[in-house]
Amino acid sequence: MSALEPNLASRARAWMEDDPNQSTREELKHRIAAAEEGNEAELAELEGAFAGTLQFGTAGLRGAMGPGPNRMNVAVVSRAAAGIGAYLSDVVGKARIVIGYDARYNSRTFAETSAAILTAAGHEVILMPHHWPTPVLAHAVRAKSADCGIMVTASHNPARDNGYKVYLGGRAASEDGNGVQIVPPADADIAAKIASVGAVRDIPLAESGWETMPESFVDEYVEAILPIIERSDATDTGAARAARANLRIVHTAMHGVGSATMLSAFESAGFTDVHSVKEQQEPDPDFPTVPFPNPEEKGAIDLAAKLAEQVEADLVIANDPDADRCAAAIYDPRREVWRMLHGDELGLLLATYIADHREVEGAFANSIVSSRSLGALAKARGYASTQTLTGFKWIARAHNVAFGYEEAIGYCVLPDVVKDKDGMSAALAIAELAALTKAHGASLVDLLDDLARECGLYLTSQLSIRVSNLDRIGEMMTTLRTTPPSALANSPVVDVRDLAEGSLETTGLPPTNGMFLLAEDDSRVIVRPSGTEPKLKAYLEVVSPIAADASFNDLSAARERAAEKLELMKKELSELLGA
């Protein structure tokens, strides 16, 4: 039986004394007592909570809720808010800050605590009146000329998690970075300010003085995203309205905060035949129907697919809990089932809509782990294209970006409105494309086939290895670096790059923790640790040339062969990594 180390017990008690929140103080008190009595589970949780300090990762903080420096709680959030306030004071002086939050446990408390601390620090703070989607907050950073935006959300993480996403704008950001999530060196500078914060109980708290965002602002956001359906080829507005009304959509909010805003946007746009998944429509921080509230996870859209069958829908749209991501499902005649579009497929369709039906200038951007099909389409349509590091904090910063996406179902279709992924404007865009395609007697499946004939078939998949011990991720990356595979699905590997040793000269990207493998037949694998979850992710892509006159059967056979190759590549990587 393991014993509670005196040093750990002392650190835990010191934390408890400084914790301003009674709930987490009591939780920690009981955990210490249980650990001292030999409760192994409570000891393990205590050790994890004090194993380090929760660090800024993908644009902010994210982790499990509970007491301790390695958890999300009022004390950690208070330090973060004080550090951000100090950073902004140095950079711009008195800053304008907008704060939003989702419907997870403690989200409102974290947001209100931040508002009180930042107001006391002399900043102008605007707090959302209640839980709203992340894109509404991201829009507010630009629309309100804010220097900073804070969104309390853990997005699609499990129910026990929460997070703290930070945006810079106004005087605190460059032109390309206005309204975008933080990147180096700002994240390190903020982290340094957080580390220098003294006792939490000594952080000043204002009792009032911050503004509340008007309720009407969410309507302003909806009005701002409606232009995504104003197509340059839409000469007959009556026909366009009829096409939208003729599209039957099933929508799920995945127990998150996007339902009311998304349904309002659909109605305002003219999509009147929309059916919500009732079991997942209202915010619920327990996420009772899905253990992982991510539309990409297996089983997450089962209820939506079932409803789609019942109502004979044309399209399923799923938002993640904070509605910054969008997923779509279609009926696939090849399999005779409703299936989720892969993030790269939806990205290619949205890029096609932007390129063919919108008058925009600029570049198309996606992350390095996303499909190379975007580059092929951009070349065919006369657009510049670029690949960035993983994460929207990089994609949205691409110079003069007109459209950006990442394979993890994040899409930016209106960068002037929301310079981040926005699941609701993306939902309107894919619905408009589906309505337009249906009006011409075709489907999104047909459109994907046409794109394969034009640009080649790019089929992607992902191997995701969830771990309970984070050391395993480092061990697997070491295995890849020291003994990379010599072939991918029987095609010799001709290029191996350690992206951590990359440079702008050789890769066009700053160094990042990842491995790149390219086979002779153009199959590609990129492996990297997740920035938001305890996972190692491998991103796989197979490319197949397709004849311009390929039949449906030809394409079906090509897709089947490519899928088999992807499965073989997954198996090979799993065996190599010991997963």
Side-chain angles (χ1 to χ4, degrees):
M1 182 174 66
S2 302
L4 176 59
E5 294 289 337
N7 181 52
L8 175 57
S10 177
R11 288 191 292 128
R13 289 191 172 93
W15 174 276
M16 187 169 58
E17 288 298 316
D18 193 39
D19 188 347
N21 184 265
Q22 182 178 353
S23 176
T24 43
R25 285 200 309 271
E26 288 297 319
E27 184 179 348
L28 187 54
K29 179 180 178 180
H30 291 302
R31 182 156 292 145
I32 294 169
E36 288 177 331
E37 293 173 3
N39 186 309
E40 295 282 351
E42 293 290 357
L43 176 60
E45 178 58 35
L46 194 62
E47 290 172 340
F50 286 84
T53 301
L54 201 61
Q55 298 295 312
F56 267 63
T58 300
L61 299 168
R62 192 176 296 188
M65 287 178 280
N70 203 29
R71 297 287 184 263
M72 284 294 296
N73 49 63
V74 170
V76 164
V77 165
S78 296
R79 288 180 177 276
I84 291 167
Y87 169 82
L88 290 169
S89 293
D90 286 351
V91 173
V92 301
K94 182 177 181 179
R96 173 176 289 183
I97 304 165
V98 289
I99 302 175
Y101 55 95
D102 67 10
R104 286 175 181 263
Y105 289 115
N106 297 314
S107 286
R108 180 164 186 159
T109 297
F110 294 164
E112 290 176 340
T113 299
S114 299
I117 289 170
L118 289 163
T119 300
H123 298 296
E124 177 189 351
V125 177
I126 306 173
L127 180 66
M128 300 298 182
H130 47 71
H131 52 67
W132 276 343
T134 292
V136 178
L137 181 280
H139 174 56
V141 176
R142 293 172 65 88
K144 297 299 181 182
S145 300
D147 302 299
C148 179
I150 296 170
M151 182 69 191
V152 181
T153 179
S155 190
H156 57 283
N157 277 38
R160 69 172 297 195
D161 289 0
N162 213 325
Y164 203 76
K165 186 179 292 187
V166 182
Y167 300 80
L168 292 180
R171 296 166 296 162
S174 65
E175 182 179 351
D176 285 335
N178 183 18
V180 186
Q181 300 170 45
I182 57 172
V183 296
D187 55 356
D189 292 342
I190 292 172
K193 292 293 186 181
I194 293 171
S196 67
V197 174
V200 174
R201 288 181 177 270
D202 292 338
I203 299 173
L205 286 164
E207 294 184 1
S208 61
W210 56 87
E211 297 178 42
T212 299
M213 186 74 79
E215 293 277 350
S216 60
F217 184 74
V218 71
D219 300 320
E220 293 178 30
Y221 161 79
V222 170
E223 287 298 316
I225 66 172
L226 287 178
I228 191 61
I229 63 169
E230 293 177 2
R231 307 193 316 267
S232 57
D233 63 334
T235 55
D236 185 343
T237 56
R241 286 196 298 269
R244 291 170 199 143
N246 193 41
L247 188 76
R248 183 165 297 163
I249 300 170
V250 163
H251 176 257
T252 174
M254 210 63 65
H255 298 294
V257 298
S259 182
T261 308
M262 189 72 256
L263 294 179
S264 173
F266 278 139
E267 183 178 5
S268 297
F271 296 102
T272 55
D273 195 354
V274 181
H275 302 255
S276 289
V277 178
K278 300 301 182 184
E279 300 93 329
Q280 298 174 334
Q281 184 174 354
E282 297 302 319
D284 188 330
D286 291 315
F287 305 107
T289 68
V290 281
F292 298 102
N294 181 349
E296 296 177 291
E297 293 282 350
K298 186 177 181 180
I301 66 154
D302 284 357
L303 290 173
K306 181 179 179 181
L307 180 59
E309 290 180 354
Q310 292 173 350
V311 302
E312 298 182 342
D314 299 300
L315 181 67
V316 169
I317 290 176
N319 291 123
D320 69 337
D322 68 329
D324 67 344
R325 299 178 190 233
C326 173
I330 57 174
Y331 182 76
D332 190 338
R334 290 186 169 90
R335 307 180 194 176
E336 298 184 338
V337 295
W338 279 86
R339 73 165 180 91
M340 182 73 75
L341 289 171
H342 191 277
D344 285 313
E345 292 177 307
L346 183 51
L348 185 62
L349 289 170
L350 287 170
T352 301
Y353 173 71
I354 298 294
D356 293 352
H357 305 294
R358 299 271 295 154
E359 291 181 350
V360 296
E361 296 180 358
F364 286 4
N366 64 352
S367 61
I368 189 174
V369 300
S370 301
S371 175
R372 291 164 288 175
S373 62
L374 182 68
L377 178 76
K379 183 177 180 180
R381 298 294 193 275
Y383 282 86
S385 66
T386 185
Q387 287 199 311
T388 73
L389 292 181
T390 305
F392 248 88
K393 59 185 180 181
W394 300 111
I395 296 167
R397 272 185 169 76
H399 180 61
N400 198 25
V401 63
F403 167 74
Y405 93 90
E406 62 183 356
E407 53 74 41
I409 60 174
Y411 309 96
C412 176
V413 296
L414 285 172
D416 289 340
V417 177
V418 175
K419 207 158 190 194
D420 192 20
K421 53 186 176 289
D422 181 353
M424 292 180 288
S425 58
L428 290 183
I430 193 61
E432 180 77 346
L433 181 61
L436 175 67
T437 306
K438 182 181 179 182
H440 285 84
S443 70
L444 295 181
V445 172
D446 298 320
L447 183 52
L448 284 170
D449 283 352
D450 287 342
L451 290 168
R453 294 182 184 100
E454 179 183 4
C455 302
L457 174 63
Y458 292 77
L459 208 62
T460 57
S461 188
Q462 187 181 127
L463 172 65
S464 184
I465 304 171
R466 188 179 290 271
V467 300
S468 54
N469 181 356
L470 290 177
D471 291 340
R472 277 289 296 134
I473 292 178
E475 293 167 1
M476 289 186 284
M477 290 300 297
T478 297
T479 297
L480 273 175
R481 287 186 166 104
T482 55
T483 56
S486 59
L488 296 174
N490 301 315
S491 180
V493 171
V494 296
D495 190 4
V496 178
R497 301 183 210 171
D498 185 346
L499 299 178
E501 299 176 357
S503 68
L504 290 170
E505 290 76 20
T506 59
T507 66
L509 299 170
T512 186
N513 187 12
M515 288 293 292
F516 172 98
L517 306 168
L518 183 69
E520 192 174 66
D521 65 357
D522 215 22
S523 296
R524 186 195 69 177
V525 173
I526 296 177
V527 184
R528 60 175 284 273
S530 169
T532 57
E533 298 178 89
K535 289 180 178 180
L536 186 72
K537 292 185 174 182
Y539 304 85
L540 301 83
E541 182 170 46
V542 170
V543 183
S544 303
I546 300 294
D549 61 349
S551 67
F552 179 86
N553 289 336
D554 293 338
L555 272 162
S556 296
R559 289 183 183 279
E560 187 173 332
R561 289 192 299 270
E564 289 172 355
K565 186 177 288 189
L566 284 173
E567 288 305 311
L568 179 56
M569 289 163 62
K570 281 186 189 179
K571 181 180 178 183
E572 292 170 344
L573 282 171
S574 294
E575 291 175 352
L576 176 67
L577 298 173

